[in-house]
Amino acid sequence: MRRMIYYGIIFLVGIILQFGWSQFLSFAGLVPNVIIILLMFVGLTCGPVPAQVLGFLWGLSWDALSLDLFGTHALLFTILGYLSGQLSHKWNEGKVINQMALTLFANSFFWVGTFVIYQVFAPGEFKFKVNYIMVVQPFYTMLVAPVLFKIGEEFMIYAQRNGSLD
Amino acid sequence: MDQDFVTHRQGNYLFIFLLAISILLLTTHVTEYVRGIKNFLFYILMPAPSSAARLVNANQKISATIGELVSVHRQNVELTRQLERFSSLENDYRQVIAENARLRALVSFTPPAQKKTLAAQVVLREPGSWFQWLVINRGKSDGVIIDSPVIVWTDDGPAVLGRVGELFEHSAKVVLISSVLSALPAMSADSQDDGLLEGQNGGTMKLSYLAANGKIAVGDKIVTSPLSAIFPAGIAVGKVLRITPSSDAHFQSAHVEPRVNFNALREVTVLVTD
């Protein structure tokens, strides 16, 4: 039960950071993809199951709040959660360079995946414009990643001390 | 969690199950059933981010208030002076309005539906980039309807922000003019050339279907066209950055920089039918 609360808190933090406070992290109209960073963190530290479930829920939330093709984010975040979980205990998540590289890859995968989904599931109906955001945003997300990983690690240590992750 | 609750194989089954649901949602995105799920989730999720945003805004307001107190007195003196001047101007304005109504009646002209303005707060921004949509705290209960025009006030007057795309009881999603879902008739205020302004999901928009022999030039002010069924004519949209020839020899296109600063959107104005 405590573990569920721990994941529930992470879910809420993701929603609040991405949807409520993103305007305070914006730069030239760009917002880092906080949810992808948290997804990588959860996948690396907790394994594929919580990461894919959280990814699915975050994706569903994003789809509900946006005007995009419904299901796009749910599908992509589930896949990203699963893939990051596969690296759990095989990848040193404490190294900043690893955190940045993984986040860069995940955010680039997200944009490529979005493009593919639009082509497959809604050709001609939902327009997808390739622009500078898709190139710049992964790098911006990559720069923010170590900060959120550090906060996440501190929170995880706190949760372990309280027995939430036993 | 892996070891405690599910085995590796069960984890894989769960992954396939979640993928299947996602793909099902993607393939049935047009149905009312999926729209119902989406609206339900929207109502559940909205309070968390909007409350968080309000919390920060409230803190910002407190610190800003202390600084503002210093200049308030000075502004008060200046505004009192201006108020006296505007009182007489308002009197003139009312007389002109009355005269206008009489003249319209004389020529049997039916004016377009009268609009009134409704102030709204931005409660949610798009989480990826800021050029597609946002959510405001006004909805059906405030008289907002689908396609209600949304504008913002800039230093140079009103500017087009977008139109209402999805409507809820107390909130609405606004499709921004920079979104690829947006297309509105616009024209050059200088040369009067008409075109179709399309969003590009980025910092500029494209004004297409401009006549190849038109007089539009770099720096021209772009405003909404009288051809628009949604926006009143003459509201600023942006200015021309560059002009490019179209693949069709009869047309040319212009890249337009929006007047709205998408980085600083807090309050907006919705035009609703009076």
Side-chain angles (χ1 to χ4, degrees):
Chain A
M1 186 62 195
R2 279 184 168 189
R3 194 181 285 263
M4 290 298 166
I5 294 170
Y6 170 77
Y7 292 130
I9 290 170
I10 293 180
F11 173 76
L12 271 179
V13 167
I15 292 288
I16 288 170
L17 276 180
Q18 192 72 68
F19 298 99
W21 290 348
S22 58
Q23 55 187 308
F24 308 107
L25 299 167
S26 82
F27 175 73
L30 277 173
V31 180
N33 199 322
V34 174
I35 284 180
I36 283 186
I37 301 172
L38 290 177
L39 203 52
M40 295 302 107
F41 173 76
V42 174
L44 289 174
T45 55
C46 307
V49 173
Q52 69 198 26
V53 172
L54 275 177
F56 178 75
L57 293 176
W58 271 325
L60 211 56
S61 310
W62 193 317
D63 286 326
L65 292 168
S66 81
L67 289 167
D68 300 330
L69 184 58
F70 193 64
T72 308
H73 295 89
L75 179 66
L76 289 171
F77 288 162
T78 305
I79 295 171
L80 281 173
Y82 177 79
L83 292 178
S84 67
Q86 296 304 316
L87 294 173
S88 180
H89 306 304
K90 296 171 194 158
W91 182 277
N92 184 357
E93 71 270 10
K95 279 181 84 174
V96 169
I97 189 75
N98 287 354
Q99 298 165 358
M100 292 171 82
L102 190 65
T103 313
L104 180 68
F105 169 79
N107 207 341
S108 306
F109 175 89
F110 169 76
W111 283 118
V112 174
T114 307
F115 175 75
V116 172
I117 287 172
Y118 274 49
Q119 298 305 311
V120 173
F121 290 99
E125 189 184 347
F126 276 77
K127 287 185 250 175
F128 185 88
K129 292 269 180 190
V130 178
N131 57 27
Y132 74 96
I133 292 166
M134 288 147 211
V135 179
V136 181
Q137 198 210 29
F139 287 95
Y140 188 19
T141 306
M142 178 187 81
L143 293 174
V144 177
V147 179
L148 281 183
F149 263 78
K150 184 70 188 160
I151 295 169
E153 281 161 14
E154 294 298 326
F155 178 60
M156 203 167 78
I157 291 166
Y158 173 79
Q160 276 168 343
R161 274 195 204 133
N162 286 295
S164 300
L165 290 174
D166 293 339
Chain B
M1 185 166 176
D2 281 355
Q3 289 76 25
D4 293 351
F5 297 109
V6 285
T7 63
H8 181 70
R9 181 179 285 184
Q10 285 170 329
N12 287 343
Y13 288 149
L14 180 66
F15 175 60
I16 292 165
F17 176 68
L18 294 177
L19 277 190
I21 294 179
S22 304
I23 291 168
L24 192 69
L25 291 173
L26 279 166
T27 51
T28 58
H29 64 275
V30 285
T31 63
E32 277 301 309
Y33 178 65
V34 173
R35 189 174 292 277
I37 296 175
K38 190 176 175 181
N39 289 350
F40 175 70
L41 286 170
F42 183 85
Y43 274 112
I44 290 178
L45 290 163
M46 260 305 280
S50 60
S51 305
R54 266 202 296 271
L55 186 72
V56 174
N57 284 336
N59 285 337
Q60 280 183 338
K61 276 176 190 160
I62 290 166
S63 56
T65 307
I66 296 164
E68 280 169 5
L69 274 174
V70 181
S71 60
V72 162
H73 178 68
R74 199 171 45 206
Q75 283 180 3
N76 191 26
V77 173
E78 177 62 26
L79 287 172
T80 311
R81 210 175 294 147
Q82 283 187 10
L83 187 64
E84 287 166 7
R85 198 164 64 85
F86 284 126
S87 295
S88 77
L89 279 175
E90 192 198 2
N91 205 21
D92 293 347
Y93 168 75
R94 286 187 187 286
Q95 284 178 15
V96 170
I97 291 286
E99 187 184 54
N100 187 276
R102 283 197 303 275
L103 291 172
R104 278 182 193 280
L106 276 175
V107 294
S108 305
F109 176 77
T110 310
Q114 294 298 309
K115 302 278 187 189
K116 68 172 182 182
T117 57
L118 182 71
Q121 265 193 325
V122 176
V123 290
L124 204 72
R125 295 298 301 267
E126 182 196 351
S129 67
W130 285 11
F131 302 110
Q132 294 191 70
W133 56 267
L134 52 79
V135 179
I136 55 172
N137 66 344
R138 299 285 193 172
K140 216 182 283 179
S141 59
D142 303 294
V144 179
I145 56 170
I146 290 284
D147 282 340
S148 287
V150 182
I151 59 172
V152 288
W153 291 91
T154 65
D155 296 339
D156 303 323
V160 175
L161 177 67
R163 61 179 171 81
V164 171
E166 282 185 23
L167 193 60
F168 304 96
E169 200 58 36
H170 302 291
S171 58
K173 269 185 217 172
V174 178
V175 182
L176 303 180
I177 48 167
S178 51
S179 163
V180 286
L181 299 173
S182 168
L184 75 138
M187 61 182 227
S188 161
D190 303 276
S191 68
Q192 306 291 307
D193 286 333
D194 271 307
L196 184 71
L197 189 79
E198 297 168 301
Q200 304 286 301
N201 273 3
T204 58
M205 299 166 295
K206 192 176 171 188
L207 187 60
S208 310
Y209 305 111
L210 291 161
N213 59 355
K215 300 282 187 291
I216 191 165
V218 171
D220 274 9
K221 183 182 173 187
I222 302 298
V223 296
T224 49
S225 160
L227 299 172
S228 173
I230 295 174
F231 290 94
I235 303 181
V237 176
K239 69 171 182 186
V240 176
L241 283 180
R242 62 179 187 278
I243 295 166
T244 51
S246 174
S247 53
D248 187 325
H250 298 99
F251 297 110
Q252 57 182 340
S253 306
H255 290 265
V256 177
E257 181 187 33
R259 169 70 63 82
V260 176
N261 176 10
F262 289 101
N263 271 328
L265 286 175
R266 299 286 182 273
E267 285 90 23
V268 300
T269 303
V270 189
L271 300 181
V272 292
T273 307
D274 199 2

